[in-house]
Amino acid sequence: MLQKILPLLFLSFLSLALRATSSNPNPSLTAYDELNRTGFPIGLLPSGILSYSLNLTTGDFAVDLADHCRVTLPPDNYLAVYSKRITGQLVDRKISGLDGIRVRAFFRWWSITTIRSTGDDLVFDVGVASAKYPAKNFYETLDCQGSNGKKASS
Ligand SMILES: *[C@@H]1O[C@H](CO)[C@@H](O)[C@H](O)[C@H]1NC(C)=O
Ligand SMILES: *[C@@H]1O[C@H](CO)[C@@H](O)[C@H](O)[C@H]1NC(C)=O
């Protein structure tokens, strides 16, 4: 079960884009730039980002999308939904208190609450479950599906 949930968790990486934390944060960078700069694949964030902010003191961040965003994650076709605003706290390669990213699996919605980076892998917490996936699976940015996105009810 955890293995099936894990792919969905990858979406949560989007929030990682926010992790402009450590050494050399630059407000002029885009969220995608921040992902790359901090060693994360840009595919963790969907297209359609309007803006993002990061409080370098507290690690609190917010990402605003043009609209809520549905993405189907390959290869298992899990549906993930990003809220219009995604918030959380990014400290030391860990995103906690995450709000705004949910994945559909096993007939219910799961909120991704925490994402940790261990280097080549990303660990996602969904409720009491957690899963690990290689970051290389997210080299491409996914486009948001339209309101008539496929499999929205699966
Ligand atoms: C960051 O971007 C450069 C240039 O496109 C690319 O070569 C590198 O692989 C990227 N790093 C990550 C972690 O995706
Ligand atoms: C960061 O958060 C602290 C604590 O809430 C606040 O005092 C500070 O003004 C914030 N910094 C920015 C740039 O918003």
Side-chain angles (χ1 to χ4, degrees):
M1 177 174 176
L2 295 180
Q3 292 180 336
K4 292 198 172 189
I5 294 174
L6 297 183
L8 303 179
L9 299 180
F10 282 116
L11 299 180
S12 53
F13 276 115
L14 303 180
S15 50
L16 293 179
L18 306 177
R19 76 184 279 284
T21 48
S22 47
S23 52
N24 187 27
N26 184 333
S28 68
L29 294 178
T30 67
Y32 303 109
D33 291 335
E34 290 291 0
L35 276 179
N36 181 272
R37 186 183 69 80
T38 55
F40 288 99
I42 60 174
L44 296 182
L45 286 171
S47 59
I49 296 175
L50 288 182
S51 64
Y52 81 101
S53 63
L54 172 65
N55 184 315
L56 297 176
T57 302
T58 63
D60 292 328
F61 68 81
V63 172
D64 291 308
L65 303 178
D67 199 350
H68 68 276
C69 175
R70 290 175 180 270
V71 175
T72 301
L73 299 179
D76 297 327
N77 294 325
Y78 283 110
L79 178 67
V81 175
Y82 294 91
S83 298
K84 204 170 177 180
R85 166 160 278 214
I86 302 155
T87 59
Q89 185 176 42
L90 176 58
V91 177
D92 293 337
R93 291 185 169 244
K94 177 181 178 180
I95 297 171
S96 57
L98 187 59
D99 182 50
I101 304 177
R102 295 178 300 151
V103 293
R104 179 76 174 173
F106 305 102
F107 312 109
R108 57 157 288 184
W109 289 98
W110 306 76
S111 292
I112 297 172
T113 55
T114 302
I115 304 171
R116 285 165 284 149
S117 172
T118 63
D120 291 338
D121 294 317
L122 301 175
V123 180
F124 303 90
D125 291 341
V126 178
V128 297
S130 68
K132 182 172 71 174
Y133 266 82
K136 65 181 180 182
N137 288 354
F138 295 87
Y139 282 170
E140 295 182 22
T141 297
L142 295 174
D143 289 326
C144 299
Q145 298 171 354
S147 56
N148 60 342
K150 61 182 178 179
K151 305 277 186 183
S153 61
S154 66

